Amino acid sequence: MTRKSSRREFIRRSAAVAAGTFVLPQIIPSTAMGMGGRLSPSDRIVMATIGTGSQGNGNMREFLRLNKQLQFIALCDVDKNHLEAGKSMVDKANGNNDCRTYGDFRELLAKEKLDAVSIALPDHWHGIIYTEAANAKLHVYGEKPICRTIKDGQTIVSAVKKNNIIWQTGSWQRSLFNFRRGAELAINGRAGKVKYIEVGLPDGGKGIGTPPVQEIPPQLDWEMWLGPALKVPYRGVAHWDWRWILDYSGGQMTDWAGHHIDIANWGTGLEHTGPVEISGHGVYPPEGLYNAPVEYDFLCKYANGIEMRVANASRLPHKMGTTWYGDLGWIHVDRGDVLTASDPKILEEVIGENEIHLYKSDNHYQNFLDCIRSGNQAITPVEVAYRAISVGLLGEIAMTTGQTIKWDPDKEVILDNPRASRLLSRPYRAPWTLPTV
Amino acid sequence: MKKQYFLLLILALLVSLFSGCKKETGYKTLIITGQNNHDWQASSPVLKTILDETGLFSCEIMTTPEKDGDMTTFDPDFSKYKLVVLDYNGDSWSDKTNSSFLDFVKNGGGVVVYHAANNSFPAWKEYNEMTGLGGWGDRNEKDGPYIYYRRDSLIVDNSPGRGGNHGKRREFLVRTRITDHPVTKGLPARWMHGNDELYSELRGPAKNMQVLATAFADSAAGGGTMRDEPMLMTITYGNGRIFHTAMGHADKDGGPAMQCAGFIVTLQRGAEWAVTGNVTQKVPFDFPTAAGVVLRTDFTELTFEEALGNITNYEIGKSTKSLVCIQHHIADLAGDEIALLEVEKQLVGVLVNEKTTTEAKKLLLRELSWMGTEYSVSAIKELVGNNEIKDEAEFALARLQTGK
């Protein structure tokens, strides 16, 4: 937010790095215009998207509904088809053909003058790219789960804090009425004192067996797609279905931890801490390329005595969603506007003036833009997102090792267990390293 | 002294012989077959193999006379057995045999009702109380309600209609309905079953019965009820416990319905529960999930030692079962440092074996990266110079440095 450069300087720099001699459109990041680093309401926020697959372009579609407040100028993806899809969307919104495209995020970050970036990538890339974006002092709308490992998460959190940027996590459920209302009822004790929470996340799906090595599609930069992950040959799985492979994701469980565990934390006041003990088990496919657990069931104990069970939906009475159990009843929230309680009267309760009122946002994307202008924290700031996924990642470690894990949520270390501690990070394949903050 | 050692050796040999000879120590089990509208000559030896493999049972197969034969010659001494497995759908037994079987169950004997055995004896009231549900044989509303799940509710449906139906054979998803029963504890909530007949519209007295698992009978395969039909049931009768599996349609040599690891393991667990009321068997690594069907072509579980042997040949595109077996074994040994070190040494042994494929080495390095000790570090350092597995070796070494 302190970046200073003149309009002329910006245009010259951009032109210098452009391959051709064409005239670049004169879009200037609002932060470049002075205002003490703060945007004025009339300034359009200059943005780029890194990762223009289904989720990245989906987010961009939502941002483009707010097009008067922002402007996308550049995109980056390792798949040229994804880039094309993104570019046509942006160009249509901008009424020109000027959106620039990149296959390497480093080039985009070096060449483009931006205020903010929307990032939607496979989890194994989050550590590097979120940190680099924060180090470039860009505001970030980042997809959940925000990290593949605890170590990645810790680095991202420090980068965001040190660079003092606005961070919004794609945990958009927070901006829906039923989730906020359910969480607010729970945290204000309308089900009584909450002692136990159940979080139901999706069941795992079908496998694809053990496909052979395949030719890399010409539009895909497979080496860059893998990035810091161990090199493996292309076997027909990249976009979307990376979620079922442990090198890139922890499966449905880690994918959804940033939603329903986040909501559970929100309504219980656990947003800035973590469990002290985690135990449970996962059901893994007995063979196949997809090796993430298809079922999981683990229990987290917190220092204040609260317990949170996280399991695949089929195992739980309320299936998907978050359920707070207090000594007076329960409250359940889920997608599809689900907000139910053991007694319907609970749902009619009014929250008094002096009680806890949770952060209110009606549009997750607007909230991000508003916070860029106001300097306020967004509704799902980085540490909150890190605390949500760390529950899932610690559950994954308990399932992998078959052990009860002791976690110190203040020092953020696993106690007395070298094997489990090793699973807190994944070494990066050279030349990639986790950036320093 | 030497003589004493020799005697000790003989003794050790004898002990190992006897401990390997599980048949002598298992629960005596009688598999009854001999008539069936299914291939009982294929299924009954498979049932024996499946139960004997656990080491808990010692099975013998007894065949009844053929159809229209003299049933008075079929007169087992049930009191010799702890468990009776019914692979029988045919002529009525003699009154004497019926009554001694009833006594066996009432007095606490265990029973396994397998697939078409629930078609048998439609007119024998007590038998139907033992099976809980049955099909065909002119069963209809007079025999009891339909029992099924609709969403998460168990429905008792007294509407009139046929008893027993199935569509075309297909693979189908089984849902565990009671997760804290000894038979189902620790099993996946959803798992794919091998190609089988999906029995639907079973009806019966359903007294003292619990439905442990169901499968959705869609209409696409014909005979579909669009209901979640009972697949695994437990029934108590007198002091006896009955485990009822509606699955396992036999082909020659068993076929996929019987090779399905889910069928095999639920049968093994159900049989133990029928004898003791408890289950001591661990859930194996290859229990199927919603991800897909898992077949055991020889009906037995892959052991860790076999997995270690198999993994040396791993190539991309081949089964990863051996790796998952090894991973499961490691998690099973959690906390047992001595056993884990032994496993680590075995893994390193395979890793440094010249015959082990490059792809297998890569898989093993990933495992050792977190479960290894200093023992692995020195072995892996030797491998960093090997360009084919350099990345994985560096990955493992880097991770082994953390968490110290």
Side-chain angles (χ1 to χ4, degrees):
Chain A
M1 300 226 288
T2 54
R3 177 181 296 206
K4 296 246 166 83
S5 64
S6 73
R7 168 185 288 232
R8 191 167 300 163
E9 194 180 86
F10 163 62
I11 293 170
R12 194 184 63 234
R13 269 185 55 187
S14 302
V17 294
T21 54
F22 58 89
V23 178
L24 280 161
Q26 301 188 4
I27 312 294
I28 296 144
S30 305
T31 44
M33 301 293 283
M35 297 287 295
R38 189 67 46 83
L39 294 163
S40 87
S42 59
D43 290 328
R44 289 172 82 184
I45 294 166
V46 179
M47 289 186 70
T49 287
I50 301 175
T52 55
S54 49
Q55 190 65 33
N57 283 346
N59 286 339
M60 201 152 61
R61 200 169 294 120
E62 294 302 319
F63 276 119
L64 287 173
R65 290 181 205 277
L66 312 169
N67 202 27
K68 285 184 180 161
Q69 306 171 49
L70 55 84
Q71 182 155 23
F72 278 94
I73 60 164
L75 306 173
C76 177
D77 201 282
V78 296
D79 186 310
K80 293 196 177 81
N81 292 351
H82 285 185
L83 271 181
E84 275 311 306
K87 179 175 161 60
S88 67
M89 199 193 304
V90 170
D91 283 344
K92 192 175 164 199
N94 289 345
N96 59 29
N97 190 31
D98 296 341
C99 178
R100 289 178 292 279
T101 56
Y102 297 87
D104 187 327
F105 71 98
R106 293 168 296 189
E107 201 185 343
L108 177 138
L109 292 179
K111 290 180 180 172
E112 297 291 346
K113 280 285 188 179
L114 301 162
D115 296 313
V117 61
S118 168
I119 304 175
L121 297 166
D123 302 351
H124 69 284
W125 260 118
H126 286 179
I128 292 174
I129 296 186
Y130 286 160
T131 306
E132 291 289 19
N135 282 348
K137 304 211 185 302
L138 300 176
H139 307 300
V140 178
Y141 184 99
E143 265 308 325
K144 39 49 57 186
I146 69 155
C147 52
R148 179 70 192 102
T149 66
I150 299 266
K151 175 89 181 296
D152 288 356
Q154 290 165 336
T155 308
I156 295 161
V157 170
S158 342
V160 169
K161 284 185 175 169
K162 186 178 173 199
N163 292 294
N164 197 26
I165 58 154
I166 302 299
W167 175 283
Q168 173 76 303
T169 317
S171 301
W172 51 263
Q173 289 180 180
R174 283 195 174 220
S175 294
L176 295 185
F177 170 78
N178 64 312
F179 288 104
R180 186 182 75 247
R181 172 76 174 150
E184 207 162 75
L185 288 167
I187 205 164
N188 286 297
R190 292 307 192 268
K193 191 171 166 49
V194 171
K195 294 173 174 166
Y196 174 65
I197 314 156
E198 271 177 355
V199 178
L201 310 178
D203 299 311
K206 282 200 165 181
I208 51 158
T210 53
V213 176
Q214 295 179 28
E215 202 172 318
I216 299 167
Q219 72 276 9
L220 179 67
D221 183 350
W222 177 242
E223 172 65 34
M224 194 66 174
W225 189 94
L226 288 169
L230 281 170
K231 184 153 188 160
V232 293
Y234 179 74
R235 295 169 72 185
V237 178
H239 309 316
W240 188 258
D241 288 321
W242 51 265
R243 288 164 202 283
W244 327 126
I245 301 177
L246 290 171
D247 276 3
Y248 323 116
S249 165
Q252 293 279 25
M253 189 270 286
T254 58
D255 186 29
W256 281 71
H259 287 307
H260 293 320
I261 295 177
D262 175 53
I263 296 295
N265 285 349
W266 200 24
T268 327
L270 297 171
E271 288 174 292
H272 296 283
T273 185
V276 292
E277 193 182 297
I278 309 96
S279 61
H281 85 284
V283 174
Y284 293 81
E287 64 178 325
L289 177 59
Y290 294 170
N291 58 0
V294 287
E295 296 196 26
Y296 39 91
D297 198 341
F298 57 91
L299 190 71
C300 304
K301 295 182 179 174
Y302 289 79
N304 60 6
I306 288 179
E307 294 187 345
M308 185 194 295
R309 180 184 176 193
V310 179
N312 56 297
S314 287
R315 291 171 178 255
L316 299 177
H318 288 103
K319 310 295 175 201
M320 289 282 290
T322 302
T323 312
W324 293 273
Y325 292 87
D327 46 19
L328 301 177
W330 52 260
I331 298 165
H332 174 232
V333 289
D334 189 17
R335 291 194 181 175
D337 300 326
V338 172
L339 172 58
T340 53
S342 49
D343 181 345
K345 283 181 189 150
I346 291 176
L347 305 176
E348 291 160 18
E349 285 280 322
V350 176
I351 306 298
E353 213 170 283
N354 295 323
E355 294 189 277
I356 300 169
H357 292 263
L358 295 179
Y359 192 126
K360 184 169 182 265
S361 150
D362 292 326
N363 182 318
H364 212 59
Y365 303 90
Q366 184 65 58
N367 173 250
F368 175 56
L369 303 180
D370 289 347
C371 292
I372 291 174
R373 291 180 203 284
S374 67
N376 292 336
Q377 204 166 59
I379 190 168
T380 321
V382 70
E383 196 198 340
V384 161
Y386 159 70
R387 291 295 187 174
I389 182 55
S390 63
V391 172
L393 293 172
L394 290 167
E396 186 184 0
I397 293 173
M399 298 192 298
T400 305
T401 58
Q403 288 187 293
T404 297
I405 303 298
K406 306 262 187 206
W407 172 250
D408 181 334
D410 299 321
K411 294 192 182 116
E412 297 175 39
V413 289
I414 287 176
L415 305 174
D416 311 323
N417 192 332
R419 284 201 181 88
S421 299
R422 290 185 193 129
L423 296 169
L424 292 171
S425 65
R426 292 178 81 87
Y428 285 176
R429 179 170 62 108
W432 297 102
T433 55
L434 194 56
T436 48
V437 177
Chain B
M1 283 295 270
K2 273 186 180 171
K3 196 173 175 183
Q4 275 176 341
Y5 277 124
F6 182 70
L7 281 174
L8 271 175
L9 192 72
I10 294 287
L11 196 68
L13 207 68
L14 282 173
V15 167
S16 69
L17 262 177
F18 276 109
S19 60
C21 195
K22 290 164 179 169
K23 287 180 182 175
E24 297 304 316
T25 55
Y27 303 118
K28 278 185 74 71
T29 298
L30 179 67
I31 299 172
I32 297 177
T33 190
Q35 290 186 35
N36 208 316
N37 57 329
H38 291 65
D39 187 351
W40 60 268
Q41 278 153 319
S43 57
S44 54
V46 171
L47 294 172
K48 177 174 160 56
T49 303
I50 289 171
L51 292 177
D52 284 348
E53 196 229 350
T54 61
L56 293 169
F57 308 96
S58 151
C59 296
E60 55 186 277
I61 298 171
M62 191 180 284
T63 53
T64 64
E66 288 176 13
K67 191 168 168 50
D68 301 327
D70 177 7
M71 273 297 167
T72 59
T73 62
F74 176 66
D75 185 18
D77 178 3
F78 289 107
S79 67
K80 279 169 42 188
Y81 302 98
K82 292 282 187 196
L83 179 70
V84 171
V85 178
L86 297 166
D87 181 12
Y88 181 85
N89 177 20
D91 291 351
S92 296
W93 298 338
S94 71
D95 288 348
K96 178 169 180 278
T97 300
N98 283 5
S99 113
S100 65
F101 181 61
L102 274 183
D103 286 343
F104 165 78
V105 183
K106 278 184 190 161
N107 292 330
V111 178
V112 170
V113 176
Y114 156 67
H115 196 54
N118 69 21
N119 298 185
S120 206
F121 310 134
W124 182 8
K125 178 171 168 276
E126 292 83 357
Y127 182 82
N128 285 274
E129 284 174 359
M130 284 190 267
T131 58
L133 293 172
W136 296 273
D138 297 324
R139 282 175 174 86
N140 58 28
E141 58 274 15
K142 74 182 183 308
D143 298 284
Y146 297 118
I147 301 287
Y148 52 87
Y149 266 80
R150 185 180 291 141
R151 293 178 178 236
D152 289 329
S153 304
L154 185 72
I155 308 289
V156 178
D157 178 350
N158 287 298
S159 60
R162 65 180 293 171
N165 200 354
H166 65 77
K168 273 188 240 161
R169 287 181 64 172
R170 74 272 207 191
E171 297 180 345
F172 54 82
L173 189 74
V174 178
R175 284 195 57 182
T176 309
R177 293 292 180 170
I178 298 175
T179 53
D180 56 359
H181 191 279
V183 173
T184 48
K185 202 165 169 34
L187 298 188
R190 299 152 78 239
W191 53 275
M192 283 301 292
H193 177 46
N195 192 31
D196 201 351
E197 290 172 343
L198 195 165
Y199 276 8
S200 58
E201 295 177 274
L202 298 178
R203 52 195 321 166
K207 282 188 216 160
N208 305 315
M209 183 179 90
Q210 284 194 297
V211 177
L212 300 185
T214 60
F216 185 69
D218 58 8
S219 55
T225 54
M226 305 300 276
R227 301 167 179 165
D228 285 294
E229 299 283 355
M231 288 294 116
L232 302 175
M233 288 75 77
T234 55
I235 303 103
T236 54
Y237 186 87
N239 291 323
R241 280 177 294 269
I242 298 107
F243 173 72
H244 180 168
T245 177
M247 299 186 282
H249 181 89
D251 297 311
K252 201 167 182 295
D253 304 323
M258 297 194 87
Q259 288 171 341
C260 169
F263 169 78
I264 291 170
V265 173
T266 52
L267 185 82
Q268 291 169 331
R269 296 174 70 88
E272 185 181 4
W273 174 83
V275 176
T276 68
N278 276 312
V279 176
T280 57
Q281 302 165 67
K282 283 186 176 172
V283 177
F285 83 95
D286 66 344
F287 198 94
T289 66
V293 170
V294 179
L295 301 182
R296 291 182 181 176
T297 49
D298 63 355
F299 305 102
T300 61
E301 185 188 353
L302 183 73
T303 65
F304 170 68
E305 285 72 23
E306 287 166 342
L308 264 187
N310 293 347
I311 203 164
T312 55
N313 303 318
Y314 174 73
E315 295 290 356
I316 284 173
K318 281 192 181 178
S319 170
T320 51
K321 222 179 227 182
S322 299
L323 175 72
V324 181
C325 179
I326 291 167
Q327 289 170 329
H328 196 89
H329 189 67
I330 292 168
D332 252 3
L333 294 174
D336 185 345
E337 287 304 315
I338 295 168
L340 283 172
L341 184 62
E342 193 49 44
V343 167
E344 181 186 356
K345 285 179 176 173
Q346 287 173 292
L347 295 184
V348 170
V350 178
L351 179 68
V352 300
N353 183 342
E354 283 175 8
K355 289 179 183 161
T356 302
T357 62
T358 299
E359 292 303 329
K361 288 179 181 177
K362 289 180 180 176
L363 296 184
L364 292 171
L365 282 165
R366 286 161 181 250
E367 292 313 305
L368 289 167
S369 78
W370 74 271
M371 72 78 64
T373 63
E374 283 303 314
Y375 183 88
S376 296
V377 172
S378 47
I380 296 170
K381 276 183 180 163
E382 301 280 316
L383 301 173
V384 173
N386 179 345
N387 267 337
E388 283 184 319
I389 52 171
K390 186 169 178 288
D391 285 348
E392 285 76 11
E394 282 175 352
F395 175 91
L397 287 175
R399 203 180 226 180
L400 284 162
Q401 295 309 312
T402 65
K404 273 191 173 172

